[in-house]
Amino acid sequence: MKKFLKIYILSALILLSFWNDIKAAGNEEASTKKERNHITKGNKLYEEGKFKDALKQYQEALEENPASLVGRYNLGLSEIQIGSNPNDTSAAAKKVLETGLKNMEQVANLGSRRPDLASKANYNLGNVAFNSQDYQKAVDYYKRSLRLNPGDDNARRNLRIAQLKIQNEDQNQDQNQDQQNQEDQQDQEQEQNQDQEQNQDQEQDQNQDQQDQQEQQQQSLNQQTAEQILNAIENKENQTRARVAGQNAEKSRQRNKNKRNW
């Protein structure tokens, strides 16, 4: 921020020679002595960092000559300095900045009348956009400045810096996207692993249920077999007892018969 604020000050100091340029070129702006005095006083105050006092002098210069492009440029420059103060984030400061940008835009769009002044206006607008991290807009302003003044090395340097900022942002976005894609893929793989674990758990539960059922069936079969064996043994014993009882009964009849014959 400090680097670009110094550039603003240099732009204002150059204006001290504009009056001679205007007279030599026969510019359509009709300056007055009072207007020139106010701008001279304003430039001195601006150099001292008294931007609010300088602003008042430029406003009075415009009252003397509303068509003064130099007065409007310097007014916009002072307003930008005041509104860009990092220690003042009030709504009033924001409004002053917006007004300064509008004044600077008016000068920037008059390249056919004052290409030198319009080039500096576009350059300063590019600096404001850069400080606001709107690098694409800064690139556009720097290009406009260079079209009006191809020999401006500061505009060319700042253009390159802004382009590098855009390039770095694009790379960071690509890296963030790649990282997000990797995280999404990892999440998907983790979900798949969880699904596989759940399926394995379900299969283990099913196998355990089948094993329990088989054990129950085996126990039931074993019990039935044991009952059948016991029943068979019991039937055999009953048959044996019946046969023995029949034999005993027959023997008893034979003995009784023999006794009667005797």
Side-chain angles (χ1 to χ4, degrees), residues 57-202:
Q57 291 296 325
Y58 298 136
Q59 287 176 334
E60 292 182 11
L62 284 172
E63 289 178 2
E64 295 294 333
N65 181 13
S68 173
L69 292 181
V70 174
R72 189 163 300 281
Y73 174 90
N74 285 2
L75 175 63
L77 202 61
S78 299
E79 290 169 331
I80 289 173
Q81 285 282 16
I82 295 170
S84 298
N85 184 355
N87 297 323
D88 187 359
T89 58
S90 63
K94 183 179 179 181
K95 186 175 181 180
V96 172
L97 176 60
E98 291 175 352
T99 303
L101 294 175
K102 290 179 181 178
N103 284 322
M104 196 64 68
E105 284 280 4
Q106 290 184 25
V107 180
N109 292 328
L110 296 175
S112 59
R113 290 176 54 187
R114 290 296 303 272
D116 54 345
L117 196 58
S119 174
K120 296 180 186 300
N122 279 292
Y123 175 78
N124 287 326
L125 288 169
N127 290 340
V128 174
F130 185 95
N131 291 335
S132 300
Q133 298 183 350
D134 191 344
Y135 301 121
Q136 185 56 58
K137 184 180 288 187
V139 166
D140 294 339
Y141 279 126
Y142 292 140
K143 286 182 177 179
R144 289 174 60 183
S145 176
L146 285 170
R147 281 195 290 269
L148 294 167
N149 182 16
D152 191 339
D153 292 335
N154 287 332
R156 184 171 288 103
R157 183 194 68 235
N158 288 2
L159 171 62
R160 182 54 181 161
I161 294 173
Q163 289 173 332
L164 288 174
K165 286 287 188 180
I166 294 174
Q167 183 178 349
N168 291 336
E169 284 185 343
D170 292 340
Q171 290 177 352
N172 290 334
Q173 288 178 354
D174 291 339
Q175 291 176 355
N176 292 335
Q177 185 63 42
D178 291 340
Q179 183 177 359
Q180 183 63 43
N181 291 338
Q182 291 178 356
E183 291 177 355
D184 293 341
Q185 184 176 0
Q186 290 176 355
D187 292 340
Q188 185 177 4
E189 291 176 353
Q190 185 176 3
E191 290 178 357
Q192 291 177 350
N193 291 335
Q194 290 177 351
D195 292 340
Q196 290 176 357
E197 290 177 356
Q198 290 177 356
N199 292 335
Q200 290 176 356
D201 292 340
Q202 291 177 355

